[in-house]
């Protein structure tokens, strides 16, 4: 009986899993493209660093804290008009990717800033002392030194996005969360609920294992 239920569930589960991967992939790419530069700016414009600029640091810090202070489910609903403007719809995985990206960017930026703060200040001062330009310090010193921490940040962001994507299911965002709510919760189908939980747990474990493995490989300290 259970096996029959699982077999019937497989097409929907497969579709929901791919939608979750799609949403997480888009949002993770957005957080890397936008969040990484913001995280670097937050660090290098801080007091005592080679591009110290308090106004930039304060404005960026305020925006990052502002977005991070809003619970994701509220952010999701608040951004529905913007989502409609960008994607032409408020339902489906593409629409959900807008809110997920906006939530992930400041989150990842802070993780990048934290990873950069773990670098020995002496290494940065040595690069400044030999006359290295800011771009060279970022490219040849900061990013290589902080690489393990940044990879751990990507891992944490990806896992958070899996959790957020499940919440997006409450407003028709698609994915595993949507499947769990529509079939598992509203129809009281425990098989669906249990299966989606198992899939999410396995997905998170896989992401964590992969992130830890890569971080150890690139850590030359």
């Amino acid at each position: 009986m259970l096996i029959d239920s699982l077999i019937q569930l497989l097409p929907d589960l497969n579709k929901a899993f791919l939608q979750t991967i799609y949403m997480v992939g888009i949002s993770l790419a957005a957080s890397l493209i936008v969040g990484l530069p913001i995280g670097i700016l937050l660090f290098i414009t801080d007091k005592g660093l080679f591009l110290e600029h308090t106004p930039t640091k304060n404005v960026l810090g305020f925006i990052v804290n502002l977005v991070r202070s809003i619970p994701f489910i509220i952010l999701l609903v608040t951004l529905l008009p913007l989502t409609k403007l960008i994607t032409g719809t408020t339902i489906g995985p593409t629409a959900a990717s807008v809110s997920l990206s906006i939530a992930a960017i400041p989150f990842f930026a802070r993780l990048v800033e934290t990873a950069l703060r773990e670098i020995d200040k002496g290494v940065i001062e040595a690069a400044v002392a030999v006359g290295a330009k800011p771009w060279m310090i970022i490219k040849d010193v900061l990013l290589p030194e902080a690489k393990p921490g940044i990879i751990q940040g990507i891992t944490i962001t990806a896992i958070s996005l899996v959790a957020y994507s499940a919440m997006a299911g409450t407003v028709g965002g698609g994915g595993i969360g949507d499947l769990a709510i529509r079939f598992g919760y509203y129809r009281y189908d425990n098989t669906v609920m249990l299966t989606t939980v198992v899939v999410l747990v396995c997905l998170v474990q896989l992401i964590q294992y992969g992130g830890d493995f890569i971080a150890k490989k690139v850590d030359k300290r």
Side-chain angles (χ1 to χ4, degrees):
M1 189 68 177
L2 177 63
I3 298 297
D4 291 340
S5 298
L6 287 174
I7 291 173
Q8 288 177 359
L9 179 63
L10 274 179
D12 289 326
L13 186 63
N14 185 50
K15 181 183 176 184
F17 180 77
L18 292 177
Q19 286 178 338
T20 294
I21 297 297
Y22 174 75
M23 287 188 283
V24 172
I26 289 178
S27 309
L28 193 60
S31 66
L32 286 173
I33 293 168
V34 183
L36 181 62
I38 292 176
I40 293 171
L41 271 176
L42 283 169
F43 177 71
I44 63 176
T45 56
D46 201 5
K47 189 176 181 181
L49 271 298
F50 55 94
L51 282 182
E52 178 182 341
H53 195 269
T54 304
T56 301
K57 166 77 178 177
N58 289 343
V59 170
L60 274 179
F62 175 77
I63 295 171
V64 165
N65 291 340
L66 177 69
V67 179
R68 291 189 62 204
S69 65
I70 303 172
F72 179 69
I73 192 69
I74 296 174
L75 184 71
L76 187 67
V77 176
T78 305
L79 291 175
L80 285 179
L82 177 65
T83 301
K84 174 84 172 177
L85 184 68
I86 294 174
T87 65
T89 180
T90 57
I91 59 173
T94 302
S97 299
V98 175
S99 302
L100 287 169
S101 299
I102 292 175
I105 287 168
F107 181 77
F108 181 62
R110 281 297 185 200
L111 293 176
V112 170
E113 183 191 10
T114 302
L116 292 171
R117 289 195 184 285
E118 292 177 0
I119 299 174
D120 185 351
K121 288 286 177 62
V123 177
I124 302 172
E125 289 169 1
V128 174
V130 298
K133 296 192 180 302
W135 169 242
M136 291 176 64
I137 298 175
I138 293 169
K139 180 172 66 72
D140 297 330
V141 178
L142 297 186
L143 291 179
E145 288 289 328
K147 197 185 293 180
I150 292 174
I151 290 172
Q152 290 288 6
I154 294 171
T155 305
I156 294 170
T157 304
I159 290 172
S160 299
L161 282 169
V162 171
Y164 288 166
S165 72
M167 274 190 267
T170 58
V171 293
I176 295 174
D178 188 39
L179 183 70
I181 290 168
R182 283 192 298 115
F183 290 85
Y185 181 68
Y186 290 137
R187 298 184 185 180
Y188 303 103
D189 191 329
N190 291 330
T191 302
V192 173
M193 188 61 81
L194 183 62
T195 305
T196 52
V197 169
V198 170
V199 170
L200 286 173
V201 169
C202 291
L203 181 58
V204 167
Q205 294 291 336
L206 192 62
I207 293 171
Q208 186 67 61
Y209 175 79
D212 289 345
F213 178 78
I214 297 171
K216 285 178 184 174
K217 282 288 180 185
V218 302
D219 191 354
K220 304 300 180 188
R221 292 172 292 184

